[in-house]
Amino acid sequence: AVREMYAMVLLNTGNLAVALQNFDLVLQTKPASARSISGKAIALALMRQPDEGLQILAEAMLKFPNDPTLTNAWKSVLQIKGRQ
């Protein structure tokens, strides 16, 4: 939980590469963590890889179709993609 919060802080402060590394570390032990999946997708989108972020979210949404965290991240990644 602490690493995930740290990754979110890194994401929010623009430290995208380090945030991505930390989300990946969380997902190694908690592969169903919607927050880390979403954070990873948003970080990728901000790093000009929105399609990769959308792919990650699409796969997660197949497993967890009613998760609002994933749905919100999907909307965020689409907005980021639209600005690029």
Side-chain angles (χ1 to χ4, degrees), residues 6 11-12 19 23-24 29 32 38 49 52-53 59 66 69 73 80 82:
Y6 176 60
L11 178 64
N12 290 327
F23 286 128
D24 281 335
T29 56
S38 298
Q49 299 173 50
E52 189 174 340
E59 291 170 12
N66 299 315
T69 302
I80 293 165

Side-chain angles (χ1 to χ4, degrees), residues 31-53:
S33 170
R35 283 186 64 189
S36 285
I37 294 167
S38 298
K40 179 177 180 172
I42 291 169
L44 286 166
L46 291 169
M47 295 169 76
R48 299 198 168 274
Q49 299 173 50
D51 292 334
E52 189 174 340

Side-chain angles (χ1 to χ4, degrees), residues 20-37:
L20 190 59
Q21 290 172 349
N22 280 275
F23 286 128
D24 281 335
L25 286 172
V26 171
L27 291 168
Q28 287 176 14
T29 56
K30 292 174 49 183
S33 170
R35 283 186 64 189
S36 285
I37 294 167

Side-chain angles (χ1 to χ4, degrees), residues 71-83:
T71 304
N72 289 335
W74 182 270
K75 293 174 188 172
S76 295
V77 171
L78 286 177
Q79 287 178 345
I80 293 165
K81 182 176 179 174
R83 291 196 304 257

